[in-house]
Amino acid sequence: MTSATDPLAALTTLPGVEEAVSSVRRSVDGVYGHRVMRRRSTEVSAEAALRGARASAALSGADWALEEVRRRSDFSAPGEPRTVGGALRVSAEAGQLLSAWRQSPMRVLARLHVVASGGAGAADADAGAGSAAGSGAGAAEGGAGQDGAGDAVGRPRLAGESVVEPGVALPPPPDADETAARLDALGALVVAGSSAPALVMAAVVHGELLALRPFRTGNGLVARAAERIVLVSGGLDPKGVCPAEVGHAEQGREAYEAALTGYAAGTPEGVGGWIAHCGRAVGLGARESTAVCEALQRGAA
């Protein structure tokens, strides 16, 4: 592809991006080279999904201890329990949507939003949420959705519909018409593919979804799950053992908001800074799973 038909290719030249890509590759290679991954990669992947879901929920305002997430079996109560349940379901569902992502990204995003909201059609993902939660964590009950939006679940917002996004403070999103146009452009970009590294595509998908906030609520859970899908389907982290959500949470909400605000501004520094931030998040996720591998090797987890 030329730079004209592959707009992401130009992003690789932004300050800090090349270094971020190289650093992430080393971090991911370190996890995959661990001896535990040769025998117990399924366990590491399951633990990464659980820890990633917990971290994503924390960034959406439900900051629960990991052991509390493991212990709970009912996430149907309004507020934080439903947010944690949504994060668990989305984490489980993301792994089932990898093959559909490149062909129909908008359908995947709609499905993720239904699952995150606990709306109609989410019930069949409940068993997967239990798997993602490991021992002791079950699924949330279905219903009208955690925001009570009813028919707004699973579709982009319409003119006049407001956005309620707990946990993250960002500049106001564009109006519904601009959002729809940019969402279509993002979908076309995913379908067309890119020669840019998976980290760059993942950062753009994540950043664009939170800049637009196309749904009335639950955009953070959807955006972070979409980032994970790109990292896995793009080949950077094919077994899903480097939870970027953990790294985003570990860097702190203020740093997350500042990096996203920079991306939304659209300046070279802002976009490059956001990609580098995502690179650090993946690196920290890799470090988390390396610790899981070490614990498994010692028989402590």
Side-chain angles (χ1 to χ4, degrees), residues 66-150:
L66 183 62
E67 291 310 313
E68 176 69 5
V69 178
R70 291 191 204 278
R71 184 187 67 81
R72 292 286 288 264
S73 60
D74 180 11
F75 299 94
S76 60
E80 290 189 5
R82 202 170 289 179
T83 297
V84 175
L88 289 168
R89 290 194 307 274
V90 164
S91 182
E93 187 76 358
Q96 309 302 313
L97 297 172
L98 298 173
S99 61
W101 173 250
R102 281 290 302 274
Q103 287 73 41
S104 190
M106 294 303 103
R107 289 183 62 185
V108 169
L109 293 175
R111 175 61 184 166
L112 290 173
H113 188 250
V114 169
V115 171
S117 302
D124 58 348
D126 284 354
S131 298
S135 59
E141 296 176 359
Q146 66 184 33
D147 62 349

Side-chain angles (χ1 to χ4, degrees), residues 2-179:
T2 66
S3 59
T5 58
D6 185 7
L8 296 191
L11 301 185
T12 61
T13 65
L14 293 177
V17 172
E18 184 177 354
E19 294 87 344
V21 169
S22 297
S23 177
V24 163
R25 184 72 270 171
R26 289 193 298 272
S27 297
V28 173
D29 286 348
V31 178
Y32 278 81
H34 197 287
R35 66 173 62 185
V36 167
M37 285 293 293
R38 293 196 291 271
R39 297 175 286 109
R40 305 178 70 177
S41 64
T42 300
E43 293 173 70
V44 180
S45 295
E47 185 67 15
L50 172 62
R51 294 181 183 217
R54 190 220 69 82
S56 188
L59 288 168
S60 287
D63 192 359
W64 288 14
L66 183 62
E67 291 310 313
E68 176 69 5
V69 178
R70 291 191 204 278
R71 184 187 67 81
R72 292 286 288 264
S73 60
D74 180 11
F75 299 94
S76 60
E80 290 189 5
R82 202 170 289 179
T83 297
V84 175
L88 289 168
R89 290 194 307 274
V90 164
S91 182
E93 187 76 358
Q96 309 302 313
L97 297 172
L98 298 173
S99 61
W101 173 250
R102 281 290 302 274
Q103 287 73 41
S104 190
M106 294 303 103
R107 289 183 62 185
V108 169
L109 293 175
R111 175 61 184 166
L112 290 173
H113 188 250
V114 169
V115 171
S117 302
D124 58 348
D126 284 354
S131 298
S135 59
E141 296 176 359
Q146 66 184 33
D147 62 349
D151 65 355
V153 173
R155 65 154 174 81
R157 57 188 164 84
L158 304 176
E161 292 183 337
S162 59
V163 175
V164 178
E165 192 65 37
V168 177
L170 295 172
D175 63 30
D177 288 343
E178 181 181 345
T179 294

